[in-house]
Amino acid sequence: MNSYLVGVSAAVALHSLLQLFMTSRMLLRKSSIISSKKHAWLLFASDQVFAFAMMSGGSAASGVTSLNRTGIKHSSLPNFCKPLHSFCDRVALSIAFAFFGCFLLAMSSALDVVWLSG
């Protein structure tokens, strides 16, 4: 599940960098950032899809990390975070950043809605 979060995070980073590049190019040309309603709808839909993907990746990784922290009581699997404490802390920080990225994508979607309603 953590590999799913890494994959989704990479896709979101690529999407965000592409969006930043396109927006910067439009600003340098001094033209409208969003060229048409179709473009705005595409940005809105992609922001929504990536926000939901980040939420699902963060949720899946947090479930696995929780099991690693507590162990599984009815089986012989131990608490993996006792010997790997710094690794588990880094994974928790990664999950927190995934949820923060989801929040930022939600804000981007809200800005798309404002543009679409205008």
Side-chain angles (χ1 to χ4, degrees), residues 47-65:
D47 286 344
Q48 286 289 306
V49 166
F50 283 119
F52 289 134
M54 284 294 280
M55 183 64 73
S56 71
S59 297
S62 65
V64 171
T65 302

Side-chain angles (χ1 to χ4, degrees), residues 11-27 33-34 39-48 50-51 104-113:
V12 167
L14 183 65
H15 164 74
S16 298
L17 286 173
L18 180 65
Q19 197 170 353
L20 176 67
F21 173 73
M22 290 174 54
T23 302
S24 299
R25 196 180 80 197
M26 293 296 199
L27 284 173
I33 292 173
I34 299 177
H39 184 226
W41 277 109
L42 179 66
L43 288 176
F44 174 73
S46 63
D47 286 344
Q48 286 289 306
F50 283 119
L104 292 177
L105 285 166
M107 291 296 100
S108 180
S109 293
L111 290 173
D112 293 337
V113 168

Side-chain angles (χ1 to χ4, degrees), residues 81-117:
C81 284
K82 282 185 181 176
L84 304 170
H85 187 64
S86 65
F87 173 76
C88 288
D89 288 343
R90 289 180 183 151
V91 169
L93 185 62
S94 171
I95 293 168
F97 277 123
F99 287 124
F100 181 65
C102 180
F103 172 75
L104 292 177
L105 285 166
M107 291 296 100
S108 180
S109 293
L111 290 173
D112 293 337
V113 168
V114 167
W115 193 91
L116 282 167
S117 66

Side-chain angles (χ1 to χ4, degrees), residues 2 64-72 75-89 91:
N2 289 339
V64 171
T65 302
S66 177
L67 283 176
N68 287 341
R69 284 194 186 277
T70 60
I72 300 175
S75 74
S76 61
L77 287 175
N79 177 347
F80 290 108
C81 284
K82 282 185 181 176
L84 304 170
H85 187 64
S86 65
F87 173 76
C88 288
D89 288 343
V91 169

